Each structure stands twice: as structure tokens, then as C-alpha cells.
Amino acid sequence: MNLDTRYAFHLALDISAAGVFMAVSGLYCLAEGMTLQQLGWFFAAFFIVMVVLEVPSGFLADRFGHLAVYRLAKGFDMLNVVLLVLAPSITTVILASAIGGIGRALGSGCLEAWYVNQRYKEGCHTNIKAALSRANLWLLSGLGIGAAIGGLLPAQVPYTFSQTYLNGNPYKVALILGMTIHLAALGISFLTFHEGENARSRQDHNHESLLSMGSNLLTYFMANPVLILLLAWQMLMGYALANHSVYWQPVFAMLEGGNSMLEWVGFIVASNYLLAALLGRLLDATAASFSAVAILPVYAVCAAMALIAMSLVSNPWGFLLANWVFISAVFLSRPVIAAELHRHVGSSHRSASVSLLSLSLNLGGVMAGGLLSWLTQTFSVPVAWQVSALIMTLSACALSIWQAMAVRDRQALGNETDSPN
């Protein structure tokens, strides 16, 4: 297999483990006897640890090697699963979630940074957006297939087996499958990425402290307004995604016939990602011909309109259609932003830059959480979604204008530099 296919395959395999547990994570916690408050702590532990360690883990990857840190992340992922399967108490479950956050932070951006560096090393400087878009379709497919299996598998566990070997929690079988996938991803990584680490990308940091690397990265981003804009776009998409993920299941359950359809939640979640992958495949050639300046506002407005549609429809199938459009718009924007980022960063800052992009996504989610909790308490979820859709649309317009001005200024600066004195 060529480099592009190997990377895309491994990305799909790796993310499928997250998809397997994602479909049943809340149900697993409830089967362990957790209260709703403890359920909130479970997810908070994961996201707080991940946000805190996101960028420092990127520095570690740039300093000590992307593949080495990725494989270390797999170790934390497997420890997370072992603790969840064997958890003797709720405290252990929450601790396991925090360890899962460490694994997610360490693994964030490592493979992508290695892949882009290796691609450049082999002289493949063109079509990086198309390559990342294809890899994103593999990722969405892996996430969707994993979610479908994770949602279906626990229902096939015999009651006696669950009581005897799983402590009465059939959802642990999804965790065991996830553990198997993590182990497979770790082993296969030695074959998938046989080129090894790109030593040149680490030489610039041989004598730097992490504090110095952080200062240099901040200076690097502040000197290029395009990079700041990309972080803002990613934060907007994180804001959009949080608006959807927090409340879509409760709203769907309140629709006529929606509650009974939630019994197939694994397949519904899987369909979100699989249809996004299919739509991305159909739009691949068309999207590749447009610049990030042109396509990102379209994705943001489509997500906003889909959010409004979800707040207004009364039919579960209409809701799912809007839901599919929303997920497609948000997830297909990711490779566009990433490709533009890689055009403006060097190999020595690549993993930390990708981690900073991921941090922006999560910070957008934090912003949405604060606003949503106030709006839903004061009004309702549909009103909160409508207000958020308006914020997303206005923000997309503002970012588009700012981005067009930044591109124009850089082009003007380039013309001045090229002109004779």
C-alpha cells in the first residue's frame, strides 16, 4: 500500500475503537450504577484532562517523535479500557476517564503530523487538501462502523454470561472489543509506518525546553494572521458540534416515535458518520476546486441552517435528515482547515499546531456549554439552537471578511516584496 492508503487505513482502524465505546458510553456508566451527577463528572474528567494536556502533548511529539508519542498514547488508551472493565468503584471509573483523556491528548495530531512530514519528505507537496479529505472519509467510515458495532454488540450478550463474567454490565463487551482494536492499532503501526520517525523534524527542538517551544509557537502563530483565523474557524465548528451533541438525543426522544427509534441509537450515530463520508466522497472533486476562504463559510452556514431545522421539525425522519446535514457540514470542514494549516506551518511545529487546532475545537465546545446551559434554562433547547445558529452565521460572515482581508494584505505584501526598487 502507498503512504496515503496506509495512513488512511490506520486512521480508520484507530478511530473505530473510540466509535465502539462512544455509542454506549452513557449506557455503560448508568449500568455501573452512576448517578446523572457522576455521569457529568465522568465526561468532565475526560475533557478537562484532554484540554489541559492537548498542546503540551503536541510539544512532546515534536520534541521526542510523533510515532513514539502515538504509541505511548495507545498504552494509556489500553489502561483506560482495563480500568473500565475491572472498575471496582465509581471513583475508579472516573479515574479511568481521566486516563482516557491523557491518551486522547497524547494521540491527537501525532499521526497526522508524521504523515504530512513524510509526504513532504517524499516530495508530495501538492494536493495535501485532497489527501487529508480522503483520509477524513476513512476516519468517518471507521467511526461509523465502530459505532454501529458498539451499539449492536451488547444486545447480543447472553444474560447469564453478563452476570457471570461482566458483573451484570453487558456494555463491557464493547470495551473489550475496543481494547482489541487498540492493541491491533499499536501492533500494526510498526508495519503501517515502517519509514520510521522523520529525524529532521526533531532537530530544531534538541536543546529547547517545553516553555521555550510554547513561546516560539505562540510567536509563530501571532506572526501569521491566517493561522489565527484557522483556529477561529475550528473554534466555531467546536461551538457548533457542542450545540448538537449535548441535546440531540433528548430532543429526538420527545418527537412522536423518536423515543422508540433511540433503541437503535448505535445505528443512528453510525449513519451520521457513514453518510457524511458518502457525501464527502460525492463532493470530493467539487470541494477540492474551492479555496478554504470560499468553502468554510458554506459549511458553517449549512450547519447553522441544519441546527434551525432540527429545532423546528416535529417528525423524527425530518430531524435525522437535518442531523445528517449538520454532521456532514461540521466534519467535512475539518480537512479543509487542517490542509490550510499545514500549508502555513513547518515540520518542527506541526504536531503542536495540530494539537492547538484540536484545543480550539474543544474550547468552542466549552463556550457552547456555558451559553447553552443559560439559554436552555431560561427558554428551551430549540430557542438555544436558533440563537446559536444566528451566532454561527454572523461569526462565519465576520471570519470570511477577516480572512479575505488577510489574504489580500498578504498578496499585497508579496507584490511589494517582488517589485523592483
Side-chain angles (χ1 to χ4, degrees):
M1 289 190 290
N2 62 30
L3 177 63
D4 292 346
T5 305
R6 283 185 281 126
Y7 169 68
F9 165 77
H10 199 92
L11 204 61
L13 175 67
D14 195 46
I15 199 66
S16 66
V20 166
F21 184 55
M22 180 180 66
V24 297
S25 56
L27 297 173
Y28 158 84
C29 290
L30 294 176
E32 285 293 294
M34 296 179 73
T35 64
L36 291 179
Q37 184 181 35
Q38 290 169 334
L39 185 63
W41 293 344
F42 175 82
F43 288 106
F46 178 86
F47 284 108
I48 290 171
V49 170
M50 185 177 66
V51 166
V52 170
L53 296 181
E54 189 75 69
V55 176
S57 67
F59 292 146
L60 288 175
D62 284 331
R63 174 76 178 271
F64 298 107
H66 305 114
L67 296 181
V69 171
Y70 166 74
R71 287 161 185 156
L72 177 64
K74 288 292 96 183
F76 278 98
D77 286 337
M78 288 186 282
L79 177 60
N80 160 251
V81 173
V82 169
L83 288 175
L84 288 175
V85 171
L86 303 178
S89 66
I90 300 301
T91 302
T92 307
V93 173
I94 295 172
L95 173 63
S97 182
I99 290 174
I102 296 173
R104 181 65 63 86
L106 287 171
S108 174
C110 288
L111 292 186
E112 183 177 306
W114 178 89
Y115 165 67
V116 174
N117 281 346
Q118 188 63 32
R119 221 170 177 271
Y120 285 163
K121 183 182 177 182
E122 295 179 2
C124 302
H125 297 275
T126 58
N127 297 326
I128 187 64
K129 183 165 74 173
L132 289 175
S133 293
R134 285 192 296 271
N136 187 58
L137 301 186
W138 281 70
L139 181 145
L140 289 170
S141 299
L143 200 55
I145 293 170
I149 295 173
L152 178 65
L153 196 60
Q156 312 308 312
V157 178
Y159 178 79
T160 53
F161 182 88
S162 173
Q163 293 297 319
T164 305
Y165 299 104
L166 302 177
N167 199 28
N169 187 344
Y171 302 104
K172 287 185 178 181
V173 73
L175 283 164
I176 294 170
L177 176 59
M179 175 72 170
T180 305
I181 297 173
H182 284 310
L183 186 59
L186 175 61
I188 292 173
S189 72
F190 291 94
L191 301 175
T192 312
F193 311 119
H194 56 74
E195 292 91 346
E197 191 62 57
N198 184 353
R200 184 179 177 184
S201 68
R202 298 164 55 188
Q203 290 173 353
D204 294 339
H205 302 304
N206 282 345
H207 304 290
E208 275 190 295
S209 66
L210 293 182
L211 183 61
S212 176
M213 290 174 68
S215 175
N216 290 339
L217 180 68
L218 181 61
T219 303
Y220 191 78
F221 267 73
M222 293 303 293
N224 190 341
V226 174
L227 294 175
I228 301 297
L229 275 163
L230 292 173
L231 295 180
W233 276 114
Q234 189 76 327
M235 187 177 293
L236 180 62
M237 291 304 173
Y239 175 84
L241 192 59
N243 270 277
H244 167 269
S245 58
V246 173
Y247 290 117
W248 82 266
Q249 289 187 12
V251 171
F252 187 74
M254 288 188 292
L255 300 177
E256 185 177 352
N259 194 46
S260 60
M261 291 177 68
L262 274 179
E263 294 178 3
W264 300 90
V265 65
F267 290 102
I268 294 174
V269 172
S271 70
N272 290 337
Y273 301 115
L274 293 175
L275 287 171
L278 177 61
L279 184 60
R281 183 70 184 89
L282 295 174
L283 297 177
D284 192 23
T286 305
S289 62
F290 290 96
S291 67
V293 177
I295 201 167
L296 287 176
V298 174
Y299 282 141
V301 172
C302 283
M305 294 302 100
L307 200 60
I308 290 176
M310 284 188 286
S311 73
L312 297 176
V313 297
S314 57
N315 181 280
W317 289 107
F319 184 96
L320 288 179
L321 178 60
N323 188 50
W324 291 330
V325 172
F326 179 89
I327 290 293
S328 297
V330 171
F331 277 88
L332 294 182
S333 70
R334 201 274 172 194
V336 177
I337 297 172
E340 193 69 13
L341 178 85
H342 289 302
R343 287 183 58 234
H344 294 273
V345 300
S347 61
S348 59
H349 295 95
R350 199 170 304 281
S351 188
S353 298
V354 175
S355 293
L356 199 56
L357 206 59
S358 181
L359 177 63
S360 296
L361 184 78
N362 292 320
L363 289 178
V366 171
M367 290 170 54
L371 181 61
L372 274 174
S373 60
W374 176 75
L375 285 173
T376 52
Q377 185 176 6
T378 307
F379 302 101
S380 64
V381 174
V383 170
W385 278 354
Q386 291 162 17
V387 172
S388 291
L390 177 62
I391 292 172
M392 288 163 55
T393 303
L394 294 176
S395 299
C397 292
L399 288 174
S400 299
I401 295 170
W402 184 15
Q403 191 161 4
M405 293 173 61
V407 170
R408 184 195 63 192
D409 292 344
R410 286 178 69 84
Q411 289 174 343
L413 182 61
N415 292 336
E416 290 177 6
T417 305
D418 294 338
S419 63
N421 292 329

